[in-house]
Amino acid sequence: MTIQFNKNERPVVPARLYGVLAKELKNTNPSNANAITLNFRDPDYSAETGGYHPVEVRLEKQNKIWRMVYMTDFAFQGQPYPELAKEIDICFNSHQVYSALSGWLNPHHGKELLDLFIKNFISYYAMDAYQVEVSLD
């Protein structure tokens, strides 16, 4: 099924990201759902050996168009018992970008981080680094 995205999101994301989401949702029928969560996971990622950080993307339906709510990168943090925590978070509701190192940034100040994060995510996806799970709410 083809899903229509609201491509006027703020902060602005590249069309290639919508291509990744559409590819993962092509066999999904969200007609009765109000939200979709996509989880991109490297099954070998661990605090000990590293790997590709898990990424979660949340979409919500407004009328018949799907809009992004957030895109979050998780990483193991803390010692001596590392736990998965947000490292980068793009909040489309507040138009802000979060970094664990610097806190919340407005889109102007967070643009370089946002661009690098999404570019890397798309590259890792193209390398088949992730297993993807789709959940409907």
Side-chain angles (χ1 to χ4, degrees), residues 9-13 17-18 57-58 67-71 90-96 114 118:
E9 300 285 358
R10 297 287 180 258
V12 176
V13 297
L17 178 59
Y18 293 111
V57 178
R58 174 82 170 185
R67 67 177 198 85
M68 293 181 69
V69 177
Y70 64 80
M71 182 174 183
I90 305 167
C91 179
F92 293 93
N93 290 338
S94 67
H95 313 289
Q96 292 183 314
L114 172 101
I118 292 177

PDB file of all heavy atoms in Angstrom, residues 9-13 17-18 57-58 67-71 90-96 114 118:
ATOM      1  N   GLU A   9       7.431  18.817   6.688  1.00  0.00           N
ATOM      2  CA  GLU A   9       7.850  18.703   8.092  1.00  0.00           C
ATOM      3  C   GLU A   9       8.899  19.756   8.428  1.00  0.00           C
ATOM      4  O   GLU A   9       9.680  20.180   7.585  1.00  0.00           O
ATOM      5  CB  GLU A   9       8.452  17.320   8.354  1.00  0.00           C
ATOM      6  CG  GLU A   9       7.528  16.161   8.088  1.00  0.00           C
ATOM      7  CD  GLU A   9       6.464  15.963   9.141  1.00  0.00           C
ATOM      8  OE1 GLU A   9       6.432  16.695  10.144  1.00  0.00           O
ATOM      9  OE2 GLU A   9       5.652  15.062   8.958  1.00  0.00           O
ATOM     10  N   ARG A  10       8.940  20.102   9.693  1.00  0.00           N
ATOM     11  CA  ARG A  10       9.995  20.954  10.232  1.00  0.00           C
ATOM     12  C   ARG A  10      10.537  20.264  11.455  1.00  0.00           C
ATOM     13  O   ARG A  10       9.751  19.895  12.309  1.00  0.00           O
ATOM     14  CB  ARG A  10       9.474  22.350  10.606  1.00  0.00           C
ATOM     15  CG  ARG A  10       8.946  23.119   9.428  1.00  0.00           C
ATOM     16  CD  ARG A  10      10.091  23.591   8.537  1.00  0.00           C
ATOM     17  NE  ARG A  10       9.615  24.333   7.393  1.00  0.00           N
ATOM     18  CZ  ARG A  10       9.526  23.844   6.167  1.00  0.00           C
ATOM     19  NH1 ARG A  10       9.845  22.619   5.917  1.00  0.00           N
ATOM     20  NH2 ARG A  10       9.114  24.579   5.175  1.00  0.00           N
ATOM     21  N   PRO A  11      11.790  20.021  11.567  1.00  0.00           N
ATOM     22  CA  PRO A  11      12.819  20.370  10.612  1.00  0.00           C
ATOM     23  C   PRO A  11      12.695  19.561   9.318  1.00  0.00           C
ATOM     24  O   PRO A  11      12.140  18.465   9.305  1.00  0.00           O
ATOM     25  CB  PRO A  11      14.129  20.055  11.323  1.00  0.00           C
ATOM     26  CG  PRO A  11      13.786  19.197  12.473  1.00  0.00           C
ATOM     27  CD  PRO A  11      12.340  19.397  12.772  1.00  0.00           C
ATOM     28  N   VAL A  12      13.210  20.126   8.250  1.00  0.00           N
ATOM     29  CA  VAL A  12      13.147  19.516   6.926  1.00  0.00           C
ATOM     30  C   VAL A  12      14.047  18.293   6.886  1.00  0.00           C
ATOM     31  O   VAL A  12      15.165  18.314   7.406  1.00  0.00           O
ATOM     32  CB  VAL A  12      13.578  20.539   5.850  1.00  0.00           C
ATOM     33  CG1 VAL A  12      13.624  19.894   4.471  1.00  0.00           C
ATOM     34  CG2 VAL A  12      12.649  21.740   5.855  1.00  0.00           C
ATOM     35  N   VAL A  13      13.552  17.211   6.280  1.00  0.00           N
ATOM     36  CA  VAL A  13      14.342  15.995   6.106  1.00  0.00           C
ATOM     37  C   VAL A  13      14.421  15.684   4.617  1.00  0.00           C
ATOM     38  O   VAL A  13      13.536  16.073   3.847  1.00  0.00           O
ATOM     39  CB  VAL A  13      13.755  14.801   6.893  1.00  0.00           C
ATOM     40  CG1 VAL A  13      13.777  15.076   8.385  1.00  0.00           C
ATOM     41  CG2 VAL A  13      12.351  14.476   6.437  1.00  0.00           C
ATOM     42  N   LEU A  17      14.838   9.953   2.955  1.00  0.00           N
ATOM     43  CA  LEU A  17      14.324   9.379   4.201  1.00  0.00           C
ATOM     44  C   LEU A  17      12.891   8.889   3.995  1.00  0.00           C
ATOM     45  O   LEU A  17      12.533   7.799   4.447  1.00  0.00           O
ATOM     46  CB  LEU A  17      14.397  10.387   5.339  1.00  0.00           C
ATOM     47  CG  LEU A  17      13.841   9.893   6.678  1.00  0.00           C
ATOM     48  CD1 LEU A  17      14.585   8.651   7.165  1.00  0.00           C
ATOM     49  CD2 LEU A  17      13.900  10.986   7.716  1.00  0.00           C
ATOM     50  N   TYR A  18      12.073   9.673   3.307  1.00  0.00           N
ATOM     51  CA  TYR A  18      10.711   9.233   3.012  1.00  0.00           C
ATOM     52  C   TYR A  18      10.732   7.978   2.143  1.00  0.00           C
ATOM     53  O   TYR A  18       9.879   7.105   2.274  1.00  0.00           O
ATOM     54  CB  TYR A  18       9.914  10.346   2.328  1.00  0.00           C
ATOM     55  CG  TYR A  18       9.648  11.513   3.237  1.00  0.00           C
ATOM     56  CD1 TYR A  18      10.269  12.733   3.019  1.00  0.00           C
ATOM     57  CD2 TYR A  18       8.795  11.402   4.325  1.00  0.00           C
ATOM     58  CE1 TYR A  18      10.035  13.817   3.857  1.00  0.00           C
ATOM     59  CE2 TYR A  18       8.549  12.474   5.176  1.00  0.00           C
ATOM     60  CZ  TYR A  18       9.176  13.684   4.926  1.00  0.00           C
ATOM     61  OH  TYR A  18       8.949  14.735   5.759  1.00  0.00           O
ATOM     62  N   VAL A  57      11.353   5.455  14.535  1.00  0.00           N
ATOM     63  CA  VAL A  57      10.631   6.522  13.841  1.00  0.00           C
ATOM     64  C   VAL A  57       9.149   6.344  14.133  1.00  0.00           C
ATOM     65  O   VAL A  57       8.608   5.240  13.996  1.00  0.00           O
ATOM     66  CB  VAL A  57      10.869   6.470  12.313  1.00  0.00           C
ATOM     67  CG1 VAL A  57      10.067   7.560  11.597  1.00  0.00           C
ATOM     68  CG2 VAL A  57      12.352   6.590  11.994  1.00  0.00           C
ATOM     69  N   ARG A  58       8.502   7.423  14.527  1.00  0.00           N
ATOM     70  CA  ARG A  58       7.061   7.385  14.829  1.00  0.00           C
ATOM     71  C   ARG A  58       6.328   8.278  13.841  1.00  0.00           C
ATOM     72  O   ARG A  58       6.704   9.424  13.622  1.00  0.00           O
ATOM     73  CB  ARG A  58       6.837   7.876  16.257  1.00  0.00           C
ATOM     74  CG  ARG A  58       5.398   8.030  16.665  1.00  0.00           C
ATOM     75  CD  ARG A  58       4.793   6.742  17.084  1.00  0.00           C
ATOM     76  NE  ARG A  58       3.480   6.978  17.699  1.00  0.00           N
ATOM     77  CZ  ARG A  58       2.771   6.047  18.242  1.00  0.00           C
ATOM     78  NH1 ARG A  58       3.221   4.812  18.286  1.00  0.00           N
ATOM     79  NH2 ARG A  58       1.601   6.306  18.762  1.00  0.00           N
ATOM     80  N   ARG A  67       2.326  12.016   9.158  1.00  0.00           N
ATOM     81  CA  ARG A  67       3.364  12.975   9.515  1.00  0.00           C
ATOM     82  C   ARG A  67       4.326  12.353  10.513  1.00  0.00           C
ATOM     83  O   ARG A  67       3.940  11.500  11.312  1.00  0.00           O
ATOM     84  CB  ARG A  67       2.775  14.263  10.084  1.00  0.00           C
ATOM     85  CG  ARG A  67       2.098  14.092  11.421  1.00  0.00           C
ATOM     86  CD  ARG A  67       1.591  15.416  11.963  1.00  0.00           C
ATOM     87  NE  ARG A  67       1.328  15.317  13.378  1.00  0.00           N
ATOM     88  CZ  ARG A  67       2.219  15.474  14.326  1.00  0.00           C
ATOM     89  NH1 ARG A  67       3.459  15.762  14.049  1.00  0.00           N
ATOM     90  NH2 ARG A  67       1.894  15.346  15.608  1.00  0.00           N
ATOM     91  N   MET A  68       5.568  12.794  10.450  1.00  0.00           N
ATOM     92  CA  MET A  68       6.567  12.289  11.386  1.00  0.00           C
ATOM     93  C   MET A  68       6.378  12.991  12.730  1.00  0.00           C
ATOM     94  O   MET A  68       6.149  14.196  12.781  1.00  0.00           O
ATOM     95  CB  MET A  68       7.971  12.527  10.837  1.00  0.00           C
ATOM     96  CG  MET A  68       8.228  11.690   9.590  1.00  0.00           C
ATOM     97  SD  MET A  68       9.873  11.891   8.902  1.00  0.00           S
ATOM     98  CE  MET A  68      10.861  11.129  10.159  1.00  0.00           C
ATOM     99  N   VAL A  69       6.471  12.223  13.791  1.00  0.00           N
ATOM    100  CA  VAL A  69       6.375  12.761  15.145  1.00  0.00           C
ATOM    101  C   VAL A  69       7.778  12.872  15.743  1.00  0.00           C
ATOM    102  O   VAL A  69       8.155  13.899  16.296  1.00  0.00           O
ATOM    103  CB  VAL A  69       5.476  11.881  16.040  1.00  0.00           C
ATOM    104  CG1 VAL A  69       5.443  12.403  17.463  1.00  0.00           C
ATOM    105  CG2 VAL A  69       4.083  11.787  15.445  1.00  0.00           C
ATOM    106  N   TYR A  70       8.544  11.782  15.618  1.00  0.00           N
ATOM    107  CA  TYR A  70       9.928  11.812  16.094  1.00  0.00           C
ATOM    108  C   TYR A  70      10.768  10.789  15.364  1.00  0.00           C
ATOM    109  O   TYR A  70      10.255   9.839  14.772  1.00  0.00           O
ATOM    110  CB  TYR A  70      10.027  11.599  17.612  1.00  0.00           C
ATOM    111  CG  TYR A  70       9.554  10.248  18.103  1.00  0.00           C
ATOM    112  CD1 TYR A  70      10.372   9.107  18.011  1.00  0.00           C
ATOM    113  CD2 TYR A  70       8.305  10.090  18.682  1.00  0.00           C
ATOM    114  CE1 TYR A  70       9.935   7.872  18.459  1.00  0.00           C
ATOM    115  CE2 TYR A  70       7.866   8.854  19.137  1.00  0.00           C
ATOM    116  CZ  TYR A  70       8.682   7.759  19.020  1.00  0.00           C
ATOM    117  OH  TYR A  70       8.258   6.531  19.463  1.00  0.00           O
ATOM    118  N   MET A  71      12.054  11.005  15.422  1.00  0.00           N
ATOM    119  CA  MET A  71      13.055  10.052  14.942  1.00  0.00           C
ATOM    120  C   MET A  71      14.153  10.063  15.989  1.00  0.00           C
ATOM    121  O   MET A  71      14.760  11.116  16.231  1.00  0.00           O
ATOM    122  CB  MET A  71      13.587  10.467  13.572  1.00  0.00           C
ATOM    123  CG  MET A  71      14.583   9.500  12.995  1.00  0.00           C
ATOM    124  SD  MET A  71      15.006  10.008  11.309  1.00  0.00           S
ATOM    125  CE  MET A  71      16.091   8.657  10.873  1.00  0.00           C
ATOM    126  N   ILE A  90      14.953  13.819  17.090  1.00  0.00           N
ATOM    127  CA  ILE A  90      14.345  14.871  16.283  1.00  0.00           C
ATOM    128  C   ILE A  90      12.874  14.896  16.653  1.00  0.00           C
ATOM    129  O   ILE A  90      12.159  13.907  16.450  1.00  0.00           O
ATOM    130  CB  ILE A  90      14.487  14.597  14.780  1.00  0.00           C
ATOM    131  CG1 ILE A  90      15.951  14.392  14.401  1.00  0.00           C
ATOM    132  CG2 ILE A  90      13.867  15.729  13.965  1.00  0.00           C
ATOM    133  CD1 ILE A  90      16.152  13.810  13.027  1.00  0.00           C
ATOM    134  N   CYS A  91      12.420  16.008  17.211  1.00  0.00           N
ATOM    135  CA  CYS A  91      11.020  16.157  17.598  1.00  0.00           C
ATOM    136  C   CYS A  91      10.350  17.070  16.572  1.00  0.00           C
ATOM    137  O   CYS A  91      10.641  18.266  16.525  1.00  0.00           O
ATOM    138  CB  CYS A  91      10.899  16.737  18.997  1.00  0.00           C
ATOM    139  SG  CYS A  91       9.172  16.953  19.502  1.00  0.00           S
ATOM    140  N   PHE A  92       9.478  16.491  15.762  1.00  0.00           N
ATOM    141  CA  PHE A  92       8.815  17.264  14.715  1.00  0.00           C
ATOM    142  C   PHE A  92       7.680  18.109  15.285  1.00  0.00           C
ATOM    143  O   PHE A  92       7.280  19.089  14.663  1.00  0.00           O
ATOM    144  CB  PHE A  92       8.332  16.342  13.604  1.00  0.00           C
ATOM    145  CG  PHE A  92       9.464  15.717  12.854  1.00  0.00           C
ATOM    146  CD1 PHE A  92       9.962  14.480  13.226  1.00  0.00           C
ATOM    147  CD2 PHE A  92      10.066  16.370  11.797  1.00  0.00           C
ATOM    148  CE1 PHE A  92      11.029  13.903  12.550  1.00  0.00           C
ATOM    149  CE2 PHE A  92      11.133  15.809  11.118  1.00  0.00           C
ATOM    150  CZ  PHE A  92      11.619  14.571  11.497  1.00  0.00           C
ATOM    151  N   ASN A  93       7.178  17.759  16.471  1.00  0.00           N
ATOM    152  CA  ASN A  93       6.137  18.571  17.096  1.00  0.00           C
ATOM    153  C   ASN A  93       6.684  19.907  17.580  1.00  0.00           C
ATOM    154  O   ASN A  93       6.051  20.937  17.414  1.00  0.00           O
ATOM    155  CB  ASN A  93       5.491  17.826  18.263  1.00  0.00           C
ATOM    156  CG  ASN A  93       4.651  16.654  17.798  1.00  0.00           C
ATOM    157  OD1 ASN A  93       4.206  16.605  16.660  1.00  0.00           O
ATOM    158  ND2 ASN A  93       4.437  15.702  18.681  1.00  0.00           N
ATOM    159  N   SER A  94       7.862  19.886  18.181  1.00  0.00           N
ATOM    160  CA  SER A  94       8.455  21.124  18.710  1.00  0.00           C
ATOM    161  C   SER A  94       9.484  21.739  17.766  1.00  0.00           C
ATOM    162  O   SER A  94      10.028  22.787  18.068  1.00  0.00           O
ATOM    163  CB  SER A  94       9.109  20.857  20.069  1.00  0.00           C
ATOM    164  OG  SER A  94      10.231  20.003  19.915  1.00  0.00           O
ATOM    165  N   HIS A  95       9.755  21.063  16.648  1.00  0.00           N
ATOM    166  CA  HIS A  95      10.730  21.554  15.654  1.00  0.00           C
ATOM    167  C   HIS A  95      12.119  21.686  16.258  1.00  0.00           C
ATOM    168  O   HIS A  95      12.843  22.636  15.961  1.00  0.00           O
ATOM    169  CB  HIS A  95      10.289  22.888  15.043  1.00  0.00           C
ATOM    170  CG  HIS A  95       8.868  22.910  14.602  1.00  0.00           C
ATOM    171  ND1 HIS A  95       8.417  22.214  13.512  1.00  0.00           N
ATOM    172  CD2 HIS A  95       7.779  23.542  15.117  1.00  0.00           C
ATOM    173  CE1 HIS A  95       7.114  22.418  13.367  1.00  0.00           C
ATOM    174  NE2 HIS A  95       6.710  23.212  14.331  1.00  0.00           N
ATOM    175  N   GLN A  96      12.510  20.730  17.096  1.00  0.00           N
ATOM    176  CA  GLN A  96      13.799  20.792  17.766  1.00  0.00           C
ATOM    177  C   GLN A  96      14.567  19.494  17.579  1.00  0.00           C
ATOM    178  O   GLN A  96      13.998  18.454  17.253  1.00  0.00           O
ATOM    179  CB  GLN A  96      13.616  21.048  19.264  1.00  0.00           C
ATOM    180  CG  GLN A  96      13.080  22.418  19.587  1.00  0.00           C
ATOM    181  CD  GLN A  96      12.989  22.626  21.082  1.00  0.00           C
ATOM    182  OE1 GLN A  96      12.496  21.757  21.806  1.00  0.00           O
ATOM    183  NE2 GLN A  96      13.459  23.754  21.551  1.00  0.00           N
ATOM    184  N   LEU A 114      21.452  17.216  12.585  1.00  0.00           N
ATOM    185  CA  LEU A 114      20.324  16.569  11.931  1.00  0.00           C
ATOM    186  C   LEU A 114      20.727  16.019  10.567  1.00  0.00           C
ATOM    187  O   LEU A 114      20.451  14.863  10.255  1.00  0.00           O
ATOM    188  CB  LEU A 114      19.184  17.578  11.771  1.00  0.00           C
ATOM    189  CG  LEU A 114      18.002  17.107  10.944  1.00  0.00           C
ATOM    190  CD1 LEU A 114      16.874  16.688  11.856  1.00  0.00           C
ATOM    191  CD2 LEU A 114      17.545  18.214  10.029  1.00  0.00           C
ATOM    192  N   ILE A 118      20.814  11.925   9.718  1.00  0.00           N
ATOM    193  CA  ILE A 118      19.941  11.326   8.709  1.00  0.00           C
ATOM    194  C   ILE A 118      20.752  10.768   7.546  1.00  0.00           C
ATOM    195  O   ILE A 118      20.455   9.676   7.044  1.00  0.00           O
ATOM    196  CB  ILE A 118      18.867  12.328   8.242  1.00  0.00           C
ATOM    197  CG1 ILE A 118      17.897  12.590   9.409  1.00  0.00           C
ATOM    198  CG2 ILE A 118      18.127  11.808   7.030  1.00  0.00           C
ATOM    199  CD1 ILE A 118      16.834  13.608   9.139  1.00  0.00           C
TER     200      ILE A 118
END
